[in-house]
Amino acid sequence: MPIVPDSSYDQTPYYFKNGHLETIVPSLLGKVNGVDYFRERIGTPDGDFLDLDWLKGKNDKLIVLSHGLEGSADRYYVKRMAKYFHQKGWDVLAWNYRSCSGEMNRALRLYHHGVTDDYGTVIHHAIQQGYSTLCLSGFSMGGSTTLKYLGEQGASVDPRIKAAAVFSVPCNLWDSALQLKKSGNSFYRKRFLKKMIKKIKQKALLHPDKINIHSIDKIRTFEEFDERYTAPLHGFKDAKHFYESSTSDQFYHSIKIPALIVNAKNDPMLGEKCYPYDLVKNHKYLHLETPHYGGHVGFSLRGKNYSWMDQRAFEFISESIG
């Protein structure tokens, strides 16, 4: 059944049963020991670079992890899953979107929710390493990129890519932007915008003739930011064109491998259209699981050094590849 009727996530600590607490506390306190990445830098077709963080062993299976907006491979949720899968006998590739690895990228462009050309570059490089099995996971924006890529590939997806599991996904990008515009979500909106504005200022130092940062600190919404910067820097006519082109839900019908979307019902960053029941209910490959709790990239387990996301991704992927 494509819609998972009863989620197995039922171990939320009682004091976490609030979407904001489930989101913020793990983000502030999450610390993962024992993950020592090996970094590799690869080139992109347009002369830029991407930084990939690896956990390697003598394994024939690889999981590719994609982080969220203004995150990196070093974020607690990425390192948790990397550690979990590596201990289960998988190699791990956690990639950093352009400008997110600790060093500003060279090109004028940065990254956004629908940037699947870089994702494709990463996947192609991973396939060249000789793995027989590749699986994918992503968090928030990283989940959106993963699903969009799979939908764009459709039946042409490489046969070595077997399954995907993604979490806290803004399935409809505009709906998520509207959700973050609400007064109760000002903490997240201000936090993201502060980081993104800082990054545009850094980029403007490299391309002063192409980026105007006048009054940039007056920006208060994602729509304003995307209209002024995301759209023109990435070839879109305006913010509306960016949202319409980049939202991942329009590509779900073309996904041809087993894929699981897990979005908590109390996720403060997701609007109604981010729970695509109608798109999934008759889908052959796409599954949707909507636990009552979990927050945004939370899903904590009491007394565990891993999260339910790690456990659920491993379970779904293992069942899918047999």
Side-chain angles (χ1 to χ4, degrees):
M1 179 178 286
I3 296 175
V4 180
D6 297 303
S7 176
S8 63
Y9 183 59
D10 59 1
Q11 299 185 52
T12 309
Y14 71 91
Y15 48 85
F16 264 15
K17 290 188 176 179
N18 171 287
H20 295 296
L21 287 177
E22 288 188 280
T23 300
I24 295 170
V25 174
S27 179
L28 293 176
L29 302 181
K31 185 177 180 181
V32 183
N33 297 316
V35 176
D36 298 314
Y37 289 130
F38 164 77
R39 174 157 291 186
E40 178 187 19
R41 177 166 290 185
I42 63 173
T44 62
D46 64 346
D48 213 337
F49 66 89
L50 295 169
D51 286 331
L52 317 182
D53 291 329
W54 291 87
L55 292 178
K56 286 189 174 183
K58 296 180 179 180
N59 303 307
D60 195 35
K61 296 177 293 187
L62 175 72
I63 185 162
V64 179
L65 305 180
S66 302
H67 64 77
L69 183 68
E70 282 306 292
S72 72
D74 200 46
R75 288 293 284 153
Y76 70 97
Y77 53 85
V78 179
K79 293 178 80 171
R80 266 188 331 204
M81 188 171 287
K83 183 177 182 179
Y84 191 90
F85 268 78
H86 196 51
Q87 289 177 337
K88 298 285 188 180
W90 287 66
D91 278 9
V92 179
L93 192 174
W95 73 288
N96 300 275
Y97 289 70
R98 298 193 195 206
S99 78
C100 294
S101 65
E103 181 178 339
M104 181 57 67
N105 67 304
R106 294 187 289 263
L108 179 62
R109 61 175 283 192
L110 291 97
Y111 72 94
H112 58 78
H113 281 73
V115 65
T116 50
D117 59 338
D118 282 349
Y119 195 85
T121 297
V122 171
I123 295 296
H124 178 70
H125 181 74
I127 287 171
Q128 289 182 316
Q129 308 309 302
Y131 294 99
S132 66
T133 298
L134 276 76
C135 291
L136 314 174
S137 189
F139 309 88
S140 193
M141 179 191 73
S144 180
T145 306
T146 300
L147 294 172
K148 183 171 180 282
Y149 173 81
L150 290 175
E152 289 172 341
Q153 294 295 303
S156 299
V157 68
D158 191 283
R160 285 160 288 195
I161 301 176
K162 305 295 187 182
V166 293
F167 300 86
S168 304
V169 184
C171 298
N172 185 279
L173 194 53
W174 174 240
D175 204 41
S176 180
L178 289 177
Q179 188 73 8
L180 284 164
K181 202 172 181 178
K182 294 180 178 180
S183 59
N185 287 326
S186 62
F187 170 82
Y188 311 111
R189 183 177 66 252
K190 290 176 182 178
R191 184 168 176 263
F192 281 131
L193 284 173
K194 182 179 180 180
K195 291 182 177 182
M196 293 159 65
I197 287 170
K198 180 181 178 181
K199 191 165 284 185
I200 290 295
K201 289 178 178 178
Q202 293 173 338
K203 182 62 73 173
L205 294 175
L206 298 176
H207 302 276
D209 58 329
K210 296 180 179 179
I211 299 178
N212 180 4
I213 59 172
H214 177 69
S215 301
I216 190 173
D217 291 314
K218 294 182 179 180
I219 291 176
R220 295 291 180 267
T221 68
F222 280 98
E223 186 178 7
E224 292 177 82
F225 182 90
D226 293 330
E227 179 75 23
R228 187 167 172 187
Y229 295 109
T230 307
L233 290 179
H234 298 94
F236 300 102
K237 291 183 296 185
D238 50 28
K240 183 174 182 290
H241 183 216
F242 160 63
Y243 292 127
E244 290 176 346
S245 301
S246 300
T247 189
S248 65
D249 53 0
Q250 65 185 310
F251 298 96
Y252 292 175
H253 66 281
S254 299
I255 292 175
K256 300 298 183 184
I257 67 167
L260 171 69
I261 302 171
V262 178
N263 283 350
K265 291 181 179 178
N266 70 343
D267 189 320
M269 302 188 201
L270 303 183
E272 183 178 347
K273 291 182 181 179
C274 294
Y275 302 87
Y277 296 105
D278 288 341
L279 292 175
V280 171
K281 64 182 179 182
N282 295 315
H283 204 294
K284 183 178 179 181
Y285 298 99
L286 193 57
H287 302 251
L288 177 63
E289 186 167 348
T290 55
H292 289 286
Y293 305 106
H296 192 79
V297 198
F299 300 100
S300 300
L301 292 175
R302 187 172 4 191
K304 303 293 185 180
N305 59 6
Y306 56 87
S307 80
W308 177 81
M309 291 187 294
D310 314 323
Q311 180 179 296
R312 184 69 179 103
F314 184 80
E315 175 187 70
F316 179 80
I317 287 171
S318 297
E319 291 175 354
S320 298
I321 65 178

